């Protein structure tokens, strides 16, 4: 049995922490929200009064927080000063690469083993224990990190050293944002040219335009029954989350000097969608904005 401190029991963290408890580990949980703590207790976890208390006897510390500022301050104020030095520190939040590297460097300077391990898969995968983890860590620490993440995972892939898990996550999601907009533009153009949407799907899905956004997550209702487009774009991956990831990608591109003109355009378009009040809807609702329907 491993003693796990789990901090951040939101949409993603609550299911992830519950899967650690189900796997038989002792989970000491902390969140700023009282409701989240009460739910954790019902799921067999021990609620802690503070982050300091949660980490003090931990073998593994897992964080699932909104953004880089939350991770940086929690590490500096609670985790690094209070966790046992042999604890394994794993941050699963999606944050900027610089924050991930800073946190890992500070942890290593104090003798900790640390990893950035952001996830792909939404709340269904978090609840079902089928997330994909992209891990940035020292090679010699990976086996222990893999063991710690297993109850929450479908796949665990080491991307490289610290920060590369976050790099993989934002590059993947920038590609997804761009390919979704491209798919939406193609459907909108097909419509304006009098081409039937299902016919366009049947052709493009077997031609060189084929991509995940088209064949697994089609923004036009109908061709892919499980896609959020068939449910008024409810659930799925929120446009505001996509915007957050595109902003992280642009921030990383600015710092590293990499050219990402389409990433920049995607950020602007998702920014507009969110500004119009559709941040909570699935990101494939971009189709309706491009069709002039929003
Ligand atoms: P969320 O806002 O639902 O949960 C974050 C939780 O952290 C909240 O419960 C909040 O109270 C808690 N928190 C914030 N500061 C804290 C602190 N100092 N101490 C303790 N608790 C604190 O967010 P989420 O949807 O669970 O996402 C978490 C992370 O996972 C984000 O970085 C997000 O980008 C990433 N992510 C989300 C999804 C998704 O579909 N929701 C998918 C992949 C990755």
């Amino acid at each position: 049995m491993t003693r796990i401190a789990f901090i951040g029991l939101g949409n993603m963290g609550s299911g992830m922490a519950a899967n650690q408890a189900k796997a038989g580990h002792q989970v000491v949980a902390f969140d700023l929200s009282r409701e989240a703590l009460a739910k954790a207790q019902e799921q067999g976890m021990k609620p802690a009064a503070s982050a300091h208390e949660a980490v003090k006897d931990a073998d593994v510390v897992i964080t699932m927080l909104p953004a880089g500022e939350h991770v940086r301050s929690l590490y500096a104020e609670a985790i690094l000063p209070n966790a046992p030095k042999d604890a394994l520190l794993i941050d699963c939040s999606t944050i900027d690469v610089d924050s991930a590297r800073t946190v890992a460097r500070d942890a290593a300077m104090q003798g900790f083993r640390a990893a950035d391990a952001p996830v792909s898969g939404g709340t269904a995968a978090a609840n079902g224990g089928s997330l994909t983890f992209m891990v940035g860590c020292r090679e010699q620490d990976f086996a222990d990190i893999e063991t710690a993440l297993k109850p929450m995972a479908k796949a665990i892939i080491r991307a490289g050293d610290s920060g590369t898990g976050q790099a993989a996550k934002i590059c993947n999601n920038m590609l997804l944002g761009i390919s979704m907009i491209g798919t939406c533009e193609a459907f909108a153009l097909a419509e304006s040219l009098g081409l039937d949407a299902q016919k366009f799907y049947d052709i493009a899905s077997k031609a060189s335009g084929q991509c995940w956004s088209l064949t697994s997550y089609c923004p036009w209702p109908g061709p892919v029954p499980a896609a959020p487009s068939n449910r008024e774009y409810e659930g799925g991956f929120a446009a505001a989350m996509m915007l957050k990831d595109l902003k992280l990608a642009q921030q990383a591109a600015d710092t590293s000097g990499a050219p990402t003109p389409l990433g920049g355009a995607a950020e602007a378009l998702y920014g507009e969608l969110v500004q119009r009040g559709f941040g909570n809807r699935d990101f494939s609702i971009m189709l309706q904005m491009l069709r002039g329907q929003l």
Side-chain angles (χ1 to χ4, degrees):
M1 185 189 66
T2 307
R3 286 167 303 186
I4 298 176
F6 204 111
I7 305 176
L9 308 163
N11 293 324
M12 297 292 287
S14 64
M16 292 165 70
N19 284 324
Q20 292 287 7
K22 269 189 225 150
H25 299 305
Q26 185 194 86
V27 181
V28 182
F30 180 66
D31 194 287
L32 297 175
S33 144
R34 281 180 190 280
E35 296 89 72
L37 277 181
K39 187 173 163 201
Q41 191 162 20
E42 281 165 26
Q43 291 171 317
M45 292 169 247
K46 187 169 174 253
S50 65
H52 302 56
E53 187 191 303
V55 303
K56 72 178 172 12
D57 297 317
D59 302 310
V60 179
V61 176
I62 300 176
T63 42
M64 193 54 168
L65 298 164
E69 73 227 50
H70 307 94
V71 175
R72 282 197 313 271
S73 66
L74 198 76
Y75 264 68
E77 288 157 25
I79 299 176
L80 299 184
N82 294 291
K85 290 285 182 248
D86 59 354
L88 186 57
L89 312 181
I90 308 176
D91 178 41
C92 297
S93 329
T94 301
I95 65 171
D96 58 287
V97 175
D98 288 343
S99 290
R101 290 196 168 133
T102 303
V103 160
R105 188 202 55 214
D106 293 350
M109 273 164 49
Q110 298 194 34
F112 288 100
R113 294 169 299 153
D116 50 293
V119 304
S120 175
T123 50
N127 293 335
S130 56
L131 292 164
T132 294
F133 287 84
M134 309 158 210
V135 183
C137 68
R138 295 189 313 177
E139 197 164 9
Q140 62 265 42
D141 298 336
F142 183 61
D144 286 347
I145 290 161
E146 213 177 2
T147 304
L149 295 177
K150 216 161 229 163
M152 310 182 288
K154 173 179 74 180
I156 305 165
I157 302 159
R158 180 173 176 268
D161 290 332
S162 295
T164 57
Q166 298 296 349
K169 168 80 185 173
I170 59 173
C171 291
N172 178 74
N173 280 23
M174 183 182 78
L175 179 56
L176 173 63
I178 292 168
S179 79
M180 178 53 79
I181 294 169
T183 305
C184 294
E185 281 188 3
F187 272 108
L189 178 60
E191 180 183 35
S192 68
L193 297 174
L195 171 60
D196 177 71
Q198 181 67 51
K199 274 278 173 254
F200 169 62
Y201 176 87
D202 293 343
I203 293 164
S205 62
K206 293 192 173 47
S208 48
Q210 191 278 335
C211 64
W212 186 90
S213 294
L214 178 71
T215 52
S216 295
Y217 215 86
C218 186
W220 193 284
V224 177
S229 53
N230 301 292
R231 306 188 301 269
E232 301 290 329
Y233 305 92
E234 296 291 352
F237 182 47
M241 287 281 192
M242 174 50 84
L243 179 60
K244 174 194 165 185
D245 292 351
L246 288 167
K247 281 182 187 297
L248 289 175
Q250 285 314 103
Q251 191 183 330
D254 286 347
T255 332
S256 66
T260 54
L262 288 182
E267 182 198 358
L269 281 164
Y270 273 103
E272 192 181 333
L273 189 59
V274 169
Q275 210 167 22
R276 290 189 192 195
F278 296 93
N280 289 332
R281 306 286 279 280
D282 181 75
F283 79 121
S284 62
I285 200 171
M286 177 60 73
L287 171 74
Q288 305 304 351
M289 187 173 93
L290 293 173
R291 290 175 73 218
Q293 302 288 311
L294 298 184

